[in-house]
């Protein structure tokens, strides 16, 4: 169902997306214990979780808006803003941090002109920070759309990003 919902976000009209969200909420029995699953599905349908979607979830599940928005802000995989076409994740785990991960992050902030959690104006890139992406021996590491780049020097970043533009 997740794949179908993700495809739906590209093809469905706003009314169809809303109907699908209501069906999901119904399928999960409007049960508070299913809130995280419902939010996952809502994000698959819309691509992100804007305030009006959170309001719908809160109203239809008879939950306070603050509870729903609190869950969304607690888990980093939920986003209230549209993501870019490419997700850039800078590792700031211990190995990467001590080997220059912070400089890589600062360089990406400059190049993309955005901060962590933001998306470039052309919707090309979103910038995130991770704790470890499994390349500690070749730190600092950056992942773009799941492809891991190792021993990344700030001076290499423009060339790496250029592959995605
Ligand atoms: S700490 Fe960066 S890849 Fe593990």
């Amino acid at each position: 169902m997740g794949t179908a919902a993700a495809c739906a976000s590209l093809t469905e009209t706003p009314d169809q997306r809303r109907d699908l969200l209501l069906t999901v909420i119904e399928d999960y029995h409007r049960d508070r214990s299913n809130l995280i699953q419902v939010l996952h599905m809502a994000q698959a349908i819309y691509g992100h979780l804007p305030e009006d979607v959170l309001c719908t979830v809160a109203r239809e599940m008879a939950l306070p808006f603050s509870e729903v928005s609190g869950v969304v802000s607690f888990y980093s995989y939920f986003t209230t803003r549209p993501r870019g076409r490419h997700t850039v994740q800078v590792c700031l785990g211990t190995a990467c941090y001590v080997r220059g991960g912070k400089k890589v992050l600062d360089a990406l902030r400059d190049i993309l002109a955005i901060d962590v959690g933001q998306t470039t104006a052309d919707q090309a890139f979103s910038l995130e920070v991770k704790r470890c992406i499994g390349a500690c021996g070749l730190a600092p590491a950056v992942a773009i759309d799941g492809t891991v780049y190792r021993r990344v020097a700030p001076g290499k970043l423009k060339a790496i990003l250029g592959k995605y533009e």
Side-chain angles (χ1 to χ4, degrees), residues 90-97 130-142 148:
V90 181
C91 181
L92 287 185
T94 305
C96 288
Y97 192 91
K130 298 291 278 185
R131 283 282 159 195
C132 180
I133 53 178
C136 313
L138 295 169
V142 170
V148 177

Side-chain angles (χ1 to χ4, degrees), residues 133-157:
I133 53 178
C136 313
L138 295 169
V142 170
I144 302 181
D145 299 341
T147 298
V148 177
Y149 295 87
R150 298 165 172 83
R151 284 193 178 138
V152 175
K156 291 182 185 170
L157 289 168

Side-chain angles (χ1 to χ4, degrees), residues 39-92:
L39 289 170
H40 271 299
M41 292 303 301
Q43 185 159 291
I45 294 166
Y46 288 90
H48 66 296
L49 295 170
E51 188 172 314
D52 62 311
V53 170
L54 300 187
C55 283
T56 300
V57 171
R59 187 181 61 247
E60 295 296 323
M61 295 183 74
L63 296 171
F65 178 80
S66 58
E67 180 173 340
V68 176
S69 65
V71 168
V72 168
S73 50
F74 183 80
Y75 293 102
S76 61
Y77 44 77
F78 291 132
T79 179
T80 56
R81 283 171 287 193
R83 284 188 195 274
R85 294 186 293 283
H86 306 291
T87 301
V88 181
Q89 297 174 315
V90 181
C91 181
L92 287 185

